[in-house]
Amino acid sequence: MLKEKQVRLVVIGCANWKHIRDFRALTKYPYLIYCDPDYELYNKCGMLLCKQYGQAGDSIHVMSSNLFGTIGSAFRAMFRSPAFDFQGRLEQQGGSMIVGPGATLHYMHIDKHARDHAPINSLLEKCDMAPIDFSHC
């Protein structure tokens, strides 16, 4: 579906490039990944630092509680990542953008807290793509 609409997914993470292999293995993410360990792009995009997790139900895509999410992140950092690296600051929040063709920014969502993600179907709609049924998750 993405190829048909000529949509490319890109992740820009704040971790060192050495974590790309571990991230791919953990998430099975097959698309482009770039690293911004010095937070240059992160800061230019106006991303936020916030220690709030949000509440259960704030995101339809987050399936774990705050407690189990934190435990899972700590487990992955300690046992699956080199040098016990937490892959960035714990309070860093991300965002979603739809860019292009060219340098045109069509949509931008900056996460206010850890569960404030743009819903995937909202992003797909903005790319003129069909929604995904997440009811089985």
Side-chain angles (χ1 to χ4, degrees), residues 16-76:
N16 186 290
W17 64 269
K18 296 174 185 175
H19 295 290
I20 291 175
R21 187 176 320 175
D22 294 329
F23 179 82
R24 285 192 190 282
L26 179 66
T27 64
K28 309 287 189 261
Y29 182 80
Y31 305 104
L32 293 172
I33 300 176
Y34 295 97
C35 298
D36 181 29
D38 297 324
Y39 293 84
E40 290 180 32
L41 184 60
Y42 183 88
N43 290 326
K44 286 182 181 178
C45 289
M47 300 296 175
L48 303 174
L49 295 175
C50 174
K51 294 182 181 180
Q52 296 177 349
Y53 291 108
Q55 301 299 316
D58 283 351
S59 172
I60 63 169
H61 303 299
V62 177
M63 302 301 165
S64 60
S65 68
N66 292 341
L67 175 63
F68 286 109
T70 302
I71 291 170
S73 293
F75 176 82
R76 286 189 299 275

Side-chain angles (χ1 to χ4, degrees), residues 76-127:
R76 286 189 299 275
M78 290 188 296
F79 298 109
R80 295 188 181 169
S81 296
F84 299 94
D85 188 345
F86 278 84
Q87 302 183 11
R89 297 168 67 174
L90 292 175
E91 68 270 16
Q92 73 191 27
Q93 304 305 317
S96 304
M97 295 180 214
I98 298 175
V99 181
T104 304
L105 177 65
H106 296 279
Y107 173 82
M108 183 169 186
H109 172 84
I110 296 175
D111 298 348
K112 295 178 187 79
H113 54 74
R115 292 181 184 258
D116 182 36
H117 308 296
I120 293 170
N121 282 333
S122 294
L123 296 170
L124 291 172
E125 180 183 324
K126 292 180 186 313
C127 293

